Amino acid sequence: RAEVTFYDAVGGEPTFRKLVDEFYAGVATDPLLRPLYPEEDLGPANERFRLFLIQYWGGPTTYSDQRGHPRLRMRHAPFRVGPAERDAWLRNMRRAIDSLGLPAEQEQQLWEYLERAAHFMVNTLEE
Ligand code: HEM
C-alpha cells in the first residue's frame, strides 16, 4: 500500500528543518521565551523539536527511538507556560510557517495542529 504521509507531501526533512530553524531564530531573540530554555545552546532543543514534528507527521521515528514516549505536557511541566508564553510561541511559529510558502491547505493543517498543541501545553494561568 503506497501511502503518502503529510511528512512526504510537504517536502520531508528539509521542510521541517527550515520550520524549526526559523522558529528557533525567533526564540533566540524573544525576551519572554529565550529565558525559559535551560541550555545556552539552542541546537539540542532545535533537534528534539524537529525530530518530534517529523515523527508526528509520519516521518522516521527517531524522536521516540532517542527520547521514548513524547509525554509533552509532562516534559513542559518544569517551564512556566502561561498565556503570554503561549502567544509568544505561536507568534514565532506563525512567522516560521509563513516562511515555508506551503500550499494553503497544508499550511492550515500544520497551523491548526500547532495552535491546538500550544493551548494544550499551558500549565499556569498566572500572568
Ligand atoms: C521542549 C517551551 C509548546 C514540543 C521545550 C523546552 C521548552 C519549551 C523551554 C525545553 C527545551 C529542551 O528541549 O531542552 C515551550 C513553550 C511552549 C511550547 C513556552 C508554548 C506553548 C510546544 C508545543 C510542542 C512542543 C506546542 C509540540 C507541538 C516540544 C518538544 C520538546 C520541547 C518535542 C522536547 C521534549 C524532549 O525533551 O524530548 N519546550 N514549548 N512545545 N517542546 Fe516545547
Side-chain angles (χ1 to χ4, degrees):
R1 186 160 68 103
E3 190 181 312
V4 176
T5 62
F6 184 84
Y7 169 78
D8 291 323
V10 297
E13 201 267 355
T15 299
F16 288 91
R17 182 174 291 272
K18 178 164 170 61
L19 175 67
V20 174
D21 284 353
E22 294 284 345
F23 174 73
Y24 273 106
V27 168
T29 60
D30 190 301
L32 202 56
L33 297 181
R34 186 60 187 89
L36 292 179
Y37 288 80
E39 292 172 293
E40 197 186 324
D41 179 5
L42 287 173
N46 174 315
E47 185 177 27
R48 287 189 278 272
F49 189 30
R50 170 166 35 85
L51 291 175
F52 170 79
L53 290 175
I54 285 172
Q55 171 172 301
Y56 178 86
W57 291 105
T61 58
T62 315
Y63 176 84
S64 281
D65 295 344
Q66 293 181 358
R67 306 285 294 163
H69 191 284
R71 291 179 298 177
L72 286 187
R73 262 187 72 86
M74 193 202 77
R75 290 197 208 260
H76 286 76
F79 313 114
R80 178 204 159 79
V81 185
E85 287 79 8
R86 173 200 65 205
D87 291 347
W89 192 98
L90 283 169
R91 236 183 350 264
N92 283 288
M93 185 51 78
R94 183 69 249 183
R95 201 183 308 117
I97 289 184
D98 288 343
S99 80
L100 298 177
L102 291 174
E105 197 182 315
Q106 293 176 350
E107 187 180 287
Q108 182 68 8
Q109 206 177 331
L110 195 53
W111 176 247
E112 277 176 12
Y113 162 71
L114 290 164
E115 198 179 33
R116 198 164 6 95
H119 280 75
F120 177 68
M121 226 57 85
V122 169
N123 55 28
T124 174
L125 293 175
E126 286 164 37
E127 286 301 337

